[in-house]
Structures are given as C-alpha cells and as structure tokens.
Amino acid sequence: MTVSTKTDQILSADGMPLKKSLGRALRHQKRRALMLVAPLLIFIFVAFIMPIVSMLFRSVENDIVVNTLPQTVMALQSWNAETEELPDEDVYAAFAADIKLAAETKTHTKVGLRLNYEQAGIASLFKKTARKVKKWDIESDGPFKEKFIGVHKNWGKIEIWRTLKVHSSRYTSGYFLNAIDMRKTAGGPKAQPEDKQILLLLFQRTIIMSLVITGSCILLGYPVAWLLANVPLRKANLLLILVLLPFWTSLLVRTSAWKVMLQQQGVINDLLVQLGMVSDGARLVMINNQTGTIVAMTHILLPFMILPMYSVMQTIPPTYLRAAKSLGATDWTAFWRVYFPQSVPGIGAGSILVFILAIGYYITPEIVGGTKGVFISNRIAYSILKSLNWGLGAALATILLVAVLILYWAYDKMVGIDNVKLGG
Amino acid sequence: MTDNTAQDAFVEFEKVQKSYDGETLVVKDLNLRIAKGEFLTMLGPSGSGKTTCLMMLAGFETATHGSIRLDGTSINNIPPHKRGIGMVFQNYALFPHMTVAENLAFPLEVRKLGKSIREGKVNRALEMVEMQTFGGRRPAQLSGGQQQRIALARALVFEPELVLMDEPLGALDKQLREKMQFEITGLAHRLGITVVYVTHDQTEALTMSDRVAVFDDGRIQQLATPDQLYEQPENSFVAQFIGENNTMEGIVKEVDGDLAKVELDGGDVIACKPINVSQPGERTRVSIRPERVEFDKKRLKSGAHTLKAEVLEFIYMGDIFRTRLRVAGNDEFIVKTRNAPDQVRLEPGAQVEIGWLPSDCRALDA
Ligand SMILES: Nc1ncnc2c1ncn2[C@@H]1O[C@H](COP(=O)(O)OP(=O)(O)OP(=O)(O)O)[C@@H](O)[C@H]1O
Ligand SMILES: [Mg+2]
C-alpha cells in the first residue's frame, strides 16, 4: 500500500494530470472494497440472479420438440396446419425415423409430456406408438401413414399434427398465453375453454386479497406503531418484543393455530355459540376460504407493517403536536393535519413491504386457503411440483415479478420512493 | 421575599407545585404575577423547572397543586387549544410538510377564518418579520434565523395576547442571536403583547426583559428588573448566577443598620452591606462585582476599606482589562477596569492595595 502511494506521488509530481493520479490512488481502495463484498456478490449472482434469469428463460424455452423430432419439424414446414388435410407420407416417414431414434434414447416420453400440456392424451399416445415403432425398419417398412393410423387412430386426426406443428418452434409464447388463460393455436392465440380459465381469476384474487391484507395491516398496525413511538422507552421495548414475538414461532405453527381458532368447531365459533351470538346450526365458516387467508396473513405480516411505521414515527418530535395545539388545533386536527402527513412515509414503506410479501405468499394460503383462498403462488407451486409444467410455472412467476416491478414503479411515480423510510 | 406585586396581574401563578413522578417536586410553591404587556424572562440553570412552568401555562402539563389564572380566570381545566396562547419552541416546530405560508395560515384555518382574511393576515405577518418573498418555501429551505422568524410570525399571526417562548434563540449563532433579541423585543413592544420568555443565557435575559425571574431548584430565587438583579442580588445563588462575581467567606462580627463588619477567613475585617445576615456569629459569603473594585489610590473614595493584594495575571480584552489577584487567600479574585488612556496596567507580581465602597459589598447567605 505504501509503495503504491509513493509511486503515485512521484508520477503526479512528474506532471501527470491530477485526476489521473487521484484515480489511481482510489483504484486501490476500490479494489479492496470490491474484494470485501465479492463473496456476497458471487453468492447473490449464483443464488439469486442466475435462478431468476433461468426462470425467465424457461418461460419461453421450447427446444425439446425440435431437438427430439428434428426431421418431423422440418417436414411439417411445408404442411399448412389450417387445411383439413392430413400431412403427407413424407411427414409420417420423418416422424417414424425420429420417434424410433427417440425411443432408443428414451427421450420420447419427455416430448410426449411437453405436448401433453397442450393436448391431454398425447403422452400416452407417444408411449404406445414408440413401443411399436421400435420394431419397425425405417428403410423398408413404408409407407408409414396407414401404419401409424393402425397403431392409433389419433394419428389420423389433424388436431395432433396441428399441436405438434404449433409447438415445434424453439422459443414459444405458449406458456405466457397459458398463464393468461389463452392458448396458442395454428390460427393465432385463442381463449382457453371456459372450464380451464382459472389463472386470470387467481391473479386478480391475489392482487385484491393482498390489497385487503395490506389495508387491514395499516388499520391494525398504525395505532400500535403510534403507541410504540409515544410510550417511555422501557415500555416501548417491551411492546416491541411483543410485536416481534410472532417471528420467533414457526410460520407453520402460527398458521395451524389459526386453523384451530377459526374452524367451525374451533375456539371462536364455540365462543360465539356460547354467547348466543350465533346459533349452533349456523356456525361461521372462517377457514379454508378467503376470510381464513386474510385473517391469518394479516396476523403474520403485521410486524412488517408496524416496524417501518414505528421507525418513522419515532423521528417525529412530539413538539409538532404541541405546536399545532398551541396554534388552536383540536387533538384530532393536530393529528390529522400535522402528525399523519409526516407518518405517511412509514405507511408507504410498510405497505410496499406487506403487499410484495403478500402477493407472493405460499404457505399460509396453502394451509388455510382451501380452494377459494389460494394465491397465484400456490398455482406456481402446483405447476412446478405436481403437473411438472415448469414453463407455465416460470411464465406465471415472471408475470408476478413484472407486476411487482410495475407497482413499485407506479408507487415511485405517485408517492416518490424517497418518501419511503425504513427508519432514520 | 420578592417584589411580586405587579398591578392587575394578567397571568398569575398561585402556589403552584408540579411533580412528574410523585416523588420529587420539580416546581415548588411558585407564586408569580405578570402584568399585561410585560416582558418577563425565566432564567435559570438546566433542570430548574423553567420549561415545566411554561408548559403548565400553555396547558401541556397540569399543575399538581395550585392555580394558574389568565386575565382573572382559572385556566387549569382549559385544554391547550382553547387557551389562545402563542408559543415559540426551541427547535421552532415548523411543520415540515407545509410551506411557510401554509404554516402561517394553519392557526387561522383552524379558527375557520375565510380565505381572503387568511391571506391578508399571513402577508402582514410575513411583512412584520421581513420575509414577504418566502411564503412558498418549505421550512427546510430556510436558514436557522429565517426559520426562527417564521416561528415567531406563526405564534403571532392569530394575534394572541400572551406569547410564550422557550429558548427560541438557543440554536442561533451569537451575532444572529443579538439581532433577533432586538427584533423580538421591538415586536413585543410594538404589538403590546405579554411575553413569557425562557432562557439560560443571562445576557439575553438582562437585555430583553422588563423583569427577570431567576429559577433554581424549582423556586424563584429573585424576581426583579435587570438592574436590580445585577446590582442588588438577594442571595448568593443569584449573585453567582448573574454576571461575574468575587466571593469571600467569613463570619459576621456585628450588624449595625446598613453596615456590617465581617471577619474574613483570612483574618481581615471588612465593612459590608448586610443583605440576608442579621446576627453576629453567622457565616456569610461576601460578594463584590469585579468592576466595583478599585486599586487606583486616586480614585478610591476616602474612608473606603482597603485590603492587600498580589497581582497574578493581567489579561487584555480590548474594551476592558481583567486582572486576577490573590486577595485574603483567594486566588480567583477578579478586577475589571475600563480601557481608558489614564488606566493603570498592573504587572504580575506587583503588590497593590484594593478597596471598594461598603455599599457595593454585599453580605449574603453562606
Ligand atoms: N416529562 C417529564 N417527566 C419526568 N420528569 C421530567 C419531565 N420533564 C422534565 N422533567 C424533570 O423536571 C425537571 C425540570 O425540567 P425542565 O424541563 O422544566 O427544566 P428547564 O429549566 O427547562 O431546563 P433546561 O434549561 O435544560 O431546558 C428536570 O429535573 C427534568 O428531569
Ligand atoms: Mg427547558
């Protein structure tokens, strides 16, 4: 270090521009700072940026069809998918060659599964066909058209070939169309059949319920934060511990506790029945629906609302309220005109935090949400874990990510992000 | 104890006590009458209860005991916003989310005045503090002195008869503070308002006030005009707290009307004016102002008592000379002399005789 500073000094005395020599001197410091944060940067890159990029990529990636059935895809190019005529013998022959090869390398099931997302039944069709085709001799056994239709009558249906052609491109918008309840067809994007339309509804529900949860967090959290900021420090610390207490118990336990509280034979219903406010026959349904999700999530996310509010309120000196009152304002006017506007940054910070957490929440809706109270993230989990449709999961997640970014941007435009204070 | 008889009191504290914790009294038996149009300053060391008194008057703290009256009516049970008392806070408390003009309009708005009246009053208030062009700015865009003026204008804009100020100039630098002192007193006199002013800066108290109440330990130690306070302190706390002061301890030998003889601990016997000593044998603290001590024989009045002193240090301060002496075993005896052409400058090590008028030398409580 000393050596390098010395050389810098000599150089600058030699008539090197001051900026350049200063830059040199600082470069050393910068490099050291960079090395200090390097482990974190690498970790973030590997564990955060790369998965997100890979997710974004998966939502459009579709090379499995073209990689497994290259000759078929080529041959299909000359076939017009909008006619009512079956493809030529060329296509069937190419397909026979492709599927035989695929069956030998056992990749045919993957293609089948991929196309099965688009049209139910294709997976088993591929399996069955591959078993037969393995025994054929591609050179001499033609023509294949009749043979395929003999193996399964579906090979004589135009739908199958349309699906194959439409989803043969290397990159596809199909997953995104699926994510908004549409599908890719030979004639362009079309709406999904009524009974399959669920995702838009889920998006809508996720946003509305997240807003409701954010709103109830504001209503419940504001007075608590105010109290925290206005009682003597020792009591405030005790209260703060109570606020943070939920963080110390497992999320699963807390959510399950709500199940016990809210179910029809649960604590709250029992109490209401005993008080005679609800008749035994008409116990309230508060769990496995939206009410359950809202109640449980409001409880779980409340600390994220209270803490930023508290840290902002802490910085508002009590003299402002006194000044307002000395100027003739009633308690309410003083609060509303003077205190509240200054606490808005806290509300903003808390709201962003709670809303963004809520919109991607998974465990709580899964446990207490039933079918009516689940969020889009439950659907993402379903796509990835159960139906193994990673592309759709990735597309849904991408839309969610973009939605959050847009909301963030809108908030910045309307309120200004510098108005968000987490403290200080 | 004090001259507490301002005629037709506008503000009146009667036997007021205050305790925050139920264990210690922060304000002990406060009796204070303030006349209409008077500029009264509460002066005292930190923690002496000045702010507490002000807050009780403003209504933000309740008196534990006693009553506070405003213009003859008890205000103990009137909430702060109905008292109509203007207030200037130490950190100004300008609302940061409102512009200067909105800040000034706030008290008028809550009084439900019409828009045009409001604008007129706001403009006049801004004019009054010479800040006409600043109406559209936010408080954060103003300098400390400008914020101070706006705070003052805001406390005055709704024309209160009584204005309270709690160390309003505490955050300003010396020069600005002096300028603002002048402006505040000027405004107060022009508008004829009654001002209760809190400070712990004694110069500020002396230069601004009609009367000063010196607080210590929850009590008023002396309530008097600035000159009385400086020249005739009634106890050694006030003598020490206001201005510079030389003290010597001793025992009272005899008291004879306006004259007492005190034997100092060093053995010298001096003549003083007895203030709160009455019996021979009492311990006393004798106090004399540095500028009332004379060492030039020509200027000493005949009959003045003299003591031997050794010069320890001479400090040139421009307008005055400050000389530190050893007198009767006290190394911190200060003499201040005016820088005049014929003034003697004492050299360290010189032996001199110093003297003073017995009436300038006050025998106070020990
Ligand atoms: N809200 C309170 N709760 C408890 N004690 C308090 C409270 N406010 C003030 N005190 C105590 O009351 C005493 C007097 O306080 P006060 O604020 O009146 O002093 P002050 O004369 O204004 O001092 P300063 O010059 O430092 O402003 C202090 O000992 C202080 O600790
Ligand atoms: Mg104070």
Side-chain angles (χ1 to χ4, degrees), chain A residues 319-320 322-330 333 337-338 341-342, chain B residues 55 60-61 81 85 89 94-98 107 109 111 154 158:
Chain A
T319 40
Y320 285 133
R322 291 189 161 184
K325 284 185 210 166
S326 83
L327 294 170
T330 57
T333 316
R337 294 281 314 277
V338 174
Q342 295 186 64
Chain B
M55 289 301 157
F60 297 120
E61 297 290 350
H81 67 270
I85 298 176
F89 293 83
L94 294 175
F95 307 139
H97 58 292
M98 298 184 189
E109 247 171 79
R111 285 177 172 74
R154 191 179 65 175
F158 59 100

Side-chain angles (χ1 to χ4, degrees), chain A residues 237-238 240-251 253-254 303:
Chain A
N237 284 338
L238 190 73
L240 202 60
I241 288 176
L242 291 181
V243 168
L244 293 177
L245 207 58
F247 281 143
W248 301 347
T249 37
S250 143
L251 180 60
V253 173
R254 271 181 288 157

Side-chain angles (χ1 to χ4, degrees), chain A residues 11 113 187 231 320:
Chain A
L11 279 172
L113 201 61
V231 295
Y320 285 133

Side-chain angles (χ1 to χ4, degrees), chain B residues 46-47 49-52 90 166-167 198 200:
Chain B
S46 192
K50 309 177 296 286
T51 300
T52 306
Q90 176 166 15
D166 191 357
E167 304 195 30
V198 165
H200 53 226

Side-chain angles (χ1 to χ4, degrees), chain B residues 78-90:
Chain B
I78 299 178
H81 67 270
K82 291 200 180 134
R83 294 192 182 189
I85 298 176
M87 187 143 188
V88 181
F89 293 83
Q90 176 166 15

